[in-house]
Amino acid sequence: MRLVLILFFKVCVLSNVFSQKIISGVVSDDFGEKLVGINIFLTDDSSLGTTSGVDGEFSLIVSQDFPISITLSGVGFEKKILSISSENELFFEVKLSESVLFGDEVVVRSE
């Protein structure tokens, strides 16, 4: 009985480890400059995510089944949502466009 439980436990652990997918890629702007600090997270679960590094590269380990949807966002850039439908689409070269925020006029007075 103990052997059966040990084998069952090993099968459960190994199936969970092998079902993980690594989504990776490089984030750059419209001019090809690599972007640092861009947030990359699951669209369905924003608690699971990462940020792009100094070279614009990111890597995200996911155990969710396909299709997977990830969101890329950063200050001063348009948000982009990517859909992943198969294991052939696990590396991305993403270009984010700048976004301009227009605000109301600010008047500062001093006496």
Side-chain angles (χ1 to χ4, degrees), residues 11-98:
V11 167
C12 290
V13 169
L14 289 176
S15 67
N16 189 26
V17 169
F18 289 120
S19 69
Q20 293 182 339
K21 298 151 196 72
I22 300 175
I23 301 168
S24 59
V26 178
V27 185
S28 59
D29 64 7
D30 291 329
F31 304 106
E33 294 290 323
K34 306 298 186 217
L35 297 176
V36 180
I38 297 298
N39 299 311
I40 300 103
F41 56 91
L42 287 176
T43 304
D44 300 337
D45 180 12
S46 60
S47 66
L48 181 59
T50 187
T51 58
S52 59
V54 176
D55 51 2
E57 294 182 0
F58 69 91
S59 182
L60 181 63
I61 299 173
V62 183
S63 59
Q64 192 174 347
D65 290 330
F66 293 111
I68 300 169
S69 181
I70 61 171
T71 301
L72 293 94
S73 67
V75 176
F77 292 93
E78 298 281 335
K79 179 168 56 169
K80 187 174 257 189
I81 298 175
L82 301 175
S83 292
I84 306 165
S85 58
S86 73
E87 299 230 3
N88 299 333
E89 303 174 334
L90 294 179
F91 183 82
F92 293 94
E93 291 182 10
V94 183
K95 291 200 181 294
L96 293 181
S97 301
E98 291 183 13

